[in-house]
Amino acid sequence: MDLGAITKYSALHAKPNGLILQYGTAGFRTKAEHLDHVMFRMGLLAVLRSKQTKSTIGVMVTASHNPEEDNGVKLVDPLGEMLAPSWEEHATCLANAEEQDMQRVLIDISEKEAVNLQQDAFVVIGRDTRPSSEKLSQSVIDGVTVLGGQFHDYGLLTTPQLHYMVYCRNTGGRYGKATVEGYYQKLSKAFVELTKQASCSGDEYRSLKVDCANGIGALKLREMEHYFSQGLSVQLFNDGSKGKLNHLCGADFVKSHQKPPQGMEIKSNERCCSFDGDADRIVYYYHDADGHFHLIDGDKIATLISSFLKELLVEIGESLNIGVVQTAYANGSSTRYLEEVMKVPVYCTKTGVKHLHHKAQEFDIGVYFEANGHGTALFSTAVEMKIKQSAEQLEDKKRKAAKMLENIIDLFNQAAGDAISDMLVIEAILALKGLTVQQWDALYTDLPNRQLKVQVADRRVISTTNAERQAVTPPGLQEAINDLVKKYKLSRAFVRPSGTEDVVRVYAEADSQESADHLAHEVSLAVFQLAGGIGERPQPGF
Ligand SMILES: CC(=O)N[C@H]1[C@@H](OP(=O)(O)O)O[C@H](CO)[C@@H](O)[C@@H]1O
Ligand SMILES: [Mg+2]
């Protein structure tokens, strides 16, 4: 470690005095102008992690669905997954060290993690389309080079594409080729094969309107579209040519406001979807003949996918264990449908995809989705091998189903939730099953629900248990919630401190929108009173 060089370069990426940031659910995220030193230091950290794991590590510069002025950074571990929790702590320490303490913190991390500093390091970098991203990714590169690491800068990429690259590079190309071209080819080949097998859907089903949140998804989908145009034609909206990133559009806007994005004209019963700013989330929606908006969120996507996979397994005659992983935000109707109608076991984890991803790895086939549309399906190596064999050995109908499953496996991005990959999976399933968007929506009816935010002095006063569904502290809060929930039918409510914003989130659902709204409001008041609310008391009405 050339400590002299590190100190010299670090001074060029100086940390603003007193600024403290946390490596949160999705890495560091804040106003772009506060992030230069964090980027440089994450370049350093990625080199240490790469040396320690003897693998390629990824660094993604993005702030996903946040406003255009924000930015962020996260590290991607060897198999394309999120950074290990112990390294999240190192990331926080390193990002917050004052200039004069930097060297010591770097040495501490190296010693604690037994990093062999003589080991080679390789880091791959990607960035989204924010105006600040190019310069910030250059700061990451500065950090990588000053510690003697080698790197490949992919430039503009969706977040899941970067996860894919890392996974490919660390598995000797078995997962796919670590190029954008390789990504397009792998997914498109699987998709076109699948749609060729679809007999029951006419051309009218094969087109889709896509709101790209004025982000990277637009660029990448445009590059990719001709690879799969045989199976699907996409019409892009909010492609970044005029609107602002994530402003009044994108998956997060559509899900949280439960209304269509601006800048997209929707005719009744047309199938539409929205990506978020870095294209790792997707939600679907349509207007019915009466002009009512219908949202099809991550829960319904998980239901469509898991029911299709289950049907294929039955046809092939394989009894593999399949599980669905959700968070407390999953609509109660979806959980009930999965468990009672589909007879699929459902598990609930804490919020944040890393928790869902890890749980999903426990099954032969694990399908995980957050209600907001971030998710994918994971297949164990044994399952992949078994299905490949079946696709060659079995007879006729069974072989056809095995072949279909083989292609579906290839179509999923198993490194991370991926809007483009999920979109193609959904389109393939709808085509193969001959389902319209309305028929898909009709699988079950969502319980009306409401999400609210409450400002408190210190959100850490709220601690939770049971996958965040019950509050342990402050005293009396859970009892108050229990009493309120009892007043409504089919009701459920919980509160938790957000991991990405300085707020407490309140979630409520009940048998009518009015009840869900009332319950959410009453729970907000309880939080305000018992957990140190600040500012104006929560007001009714939305
Ligand atoms: C209710 C909700 O949607 N929460 C989001 C949000 O986390 P919070 O910890 O709730 O702020 O951002 C996370 C990162 O993008 C995402 O994983 C999660 O689902
Ligand atoms: Mg995102």
Side-chain angles (χ1 to χ4, degrees):
M1 219 182 317
D2 181 350
L3 294 172
I6 294 170
T7 310
K8 192 173 128 207
Y9 277 90
S10 185
L12 301 174
H13 300 281
K15 171 181 172 301
N17 257 336
L19 179 67
I20 303 287
L21 298 167
Q22 185 84 27
Y23 195 100
T25 332
F28 293 103
R29 238 180 243 190
T30 186
K31 293 269 161 281
E33 69 254 32
H34 294 147
L35 280 168
D36 183 50
H37 68 294
V38 176
M39 297 292 165
F40 174 74
R41 293 169 185 207
M42 288 308 104
L44 299 174
L45 193 74
V47 170
L48 293 185
R49 182 68 172 152
S50 171
K51 285 177 189 283
Q52 189 217 26
T53 56
K54 302 186 176 58
S55 307
T56 296
I57 294 295
V59 180
M60 183 72 199
V61 177
T62 180
S64 182
H65 57 275
N66 284 40
E68 191 165 282
E69 307 72 57
D70 289 5
N71 217 322
V73 60
K74 64 180 172 189
L75 267 61
V76 178
D77 253 359
L79 295 180
E81 71 277 44
M82 302 290 188
L83 184 65
S86 57
W87 280 75
E88 289 189 0
E89 280 176 38
H90 299 327
T92 302
C93 276
L94 189 59
N96 294 325
E98 296 305 332
E99 284 305 317
Q100 66 275 15
D101 301 328
M102 270 270 295
Q103 292 190 3
R104 185 185 50 77
V105 173
L106 275 177
I107 293 168
D108 272 3
I109 298 172
S110 310
E111 283 176 358
K112 258 192 212 142
E113 296 291 345
V115 175
N116 172 5
L117 293 169
Q118 307 311 316
Q119 179 70 37
D120 289 341
F122 199 86
V123 177
V124 291
I125 300 147
R127 63 168 197 269
D128 71 12
T129 53
R130 283 162 207 273
S132 58
S133 290
E134 189 169 357
K135 187 163 174 292
L136 290 174
S137 71
Q138 195 52 52
S139 305
V140 174
I141 293 172
D142 283 357
V144 172
T145 28
V146 77
L147 252 189
Q150 296 209 292
F151 70 92
H152 178 81
D153 180 12
Y154 280 100
L156 293 165
L157 279 189
T158 70
T159 296
Q161 282 177 331
L162 182 78
H163 285 258
Y164 164 91
M165 301 303 172
V166 174
Y167 195 17
C168 290
R169 282 178 180 263
N170 289 317
T171 46
R174 277 191 310 283
Y175 187 67
K177 248 173 96 187
T179 58
V180 219
E181 184 79 14
Y183 171 94
Y184 295 151
Q185 279 169 348
K186 178 178 177 184
L187 268 59
S188 302
K189 181 168 172 283
F191 178 72
V192 170
E193 287 288 317
L194 281 164
T195 46
K196 268 193 217 152
Q197 290 180 278
S199 48
C200 40
S201 74
D203 272 341
E204 71 274 20
Y205 297 127
R206 301 287 187 84
S207 75
L208 174 69
K209 290 187 164 174
V210 187
D211 154 32
C212 298
N214 291 316
I216 181 72
L219 269 68
K220 296 297 153 182
L221 200 51
R222 195 142 272 156
E223 277 173 20
M224 186 178 185
E225 122 189 73
H226 70 274
Y227 287 84
F228 61 70
S229 53
Q230 238 177 302
L232 174 73
S233 96
V234 285
Q235 217 182 326
L236 274 51
F237 296 83
N238 299 321
D239 64 355
S241 52
K242 28 184 208 295
K244 226 178 155 185
L245 178 68
N246 296 325
H247 184 60
L248 305 175
C249 61
D252 196 62
F253 172 85
V254 173
K255 167 75 181 160
S256 45
H257 292 82
Q258 310 208 0
K259 62 180 186 197
Q262 279 198 359
M264 186 191 239
E265 206 186 296
I266 308 177
K267 299 201 192 85
S268 70
N269 294 332
E270 264 179 345
R271 205 164 61 247
C272 306
C273 69
S274 283
F275 293 1
D276 74 336
D278 62 339
D280 61 0
R281 286 193 201 175
I282 184 168
V283 293
Y284 269 70
Y285 44 91
Y286 67 98
H287 274 145
D288 65 21
D290 299 327
H292 291 130
F293 174 77
H294 294 253
L295 175 69
I296 304 183
D297 65 4
D299 303 336
K300 228 165 230 174
I301 295 174
T303 309
L304 179 78
I305 290 171
S306 48
S307 64
F308 184 70
L309 293 176
K310 208 176 160 193
E311 282 165 26
L312 284 183
L313 290 178
V314 169
E315 266 184 52
I316 303 167
E318 283 289 353
S319 63
L320 298 169
N321 84 26
I322 177 167
V324 176
V325 188
Q326 304 184 316
T327 71
Y329 293 99
N331 195 278
S333 291
S334 73
T335 316
R336 206 165 302 125
Y337 181 83
L338 284 162
E339 286 179 333
E340 290 171 16
V341 181
M342 282 182 46
K343 311 277 184 225
V344 176
V346 180
Y347 299 83
C348 183
T349 69
K350 287 193 205 168
T351 304
V353 281
K354 66 180 173 209
H355 300 294
L356 292 103
H357 191 93
H358 282 140
K359 185 72 197 171
Q361 283 171 327
E362 291 175 16
F363 306 94
D364 293 334
I365 301 178
V367 179
Y368 74 83
F369 267 88
E370 291 195 304
N372 60 30
H374 188 141
T376 185
L378 305 180
F379 303 83
S380 73
T381 321
V383 166
E384 285 199 35
M385 279 167 50
K386 208 176 222 177
I387 299 303
K388 273 208 168 73
Q389 277 171 4
S390 308
E392 277 154 27
Q393 291 163 358
L394 292 176
E395 296 302 314
D396 303 341
K397 209 173 153 220
K398 285 187 173 184
R399 182 170 54 210
K400 196 176 161 207
K403 194 90 205 124
M404 232 180 241
L405 187 51
E406 198 184 358
N407 281 318
I408 283 274
I409 293 174
D410 274 346
L411 191 47
F412 275 111
N413 184 342
Q414 293 194 56
D418 182 334
I420 294 180
S421 145
D422 289 338
M423 174 191 89
L424 294 175
V425 167
I426 292 163
E427 290 301 313
I429 297 177
L430 294 179
L432 286 162
K433 293 184 68 147
L435 280 180
T436 63
V437 70
Q438 300 85 337
Q439 287 167 326
W440 172 22
D441 186 33
L443 284 179
Y444 61 82
T445 307
D446 275 324
L447 279 172
N449 57 87
R450 179 65 63 192
Q451 255 197 69
L452 296 175
K453 300 177 190 181
V454 185
Q455 303 279 349
V456 297
D458 179 2
R459 68 193 198 278
R460 288 171 304 181
V461 301
I462 296 191
S463 60
T464 61
T465 184
N466 190 14
E468 303 176 322
R469 288 171 292 191
Q470 278 172 303
V472 179
T473 59
L477 179 58
Q478 188 56 48
E479 290 72 12
I481 296 174
N482 293 346
D483 288 344
L484 293 169
V485 165
K486 274 187 213 139
K487 291 168 42 184
Y488 301 92
K489 284 198 204 111
L490 297 178
S491 55
R492 186 168 73 91
F494 66 92
V495 303
R496 55 175 280 281
S498 158
T500 60
E501 288 174 64
D502 191 11
V503 295
V504 174
R505 292 197 198 283
V506 171
Y507 177 89
E509 62 185 32
D511 64 335
S512 70
Q513 191 61 54
E514 203 188 358
S515 300
D517 288 350
H518 271 139
L519 178 56
H521 175 61
E522 288 177 317
V523 173
S524 299
L525 286 176
V527 170
F528 192 84
Q529 277 153 16
L530 298 168
I534 51 170
E536 213 187 321
R537 266 164 65 88
Q539 298 297 312
F542 309 96

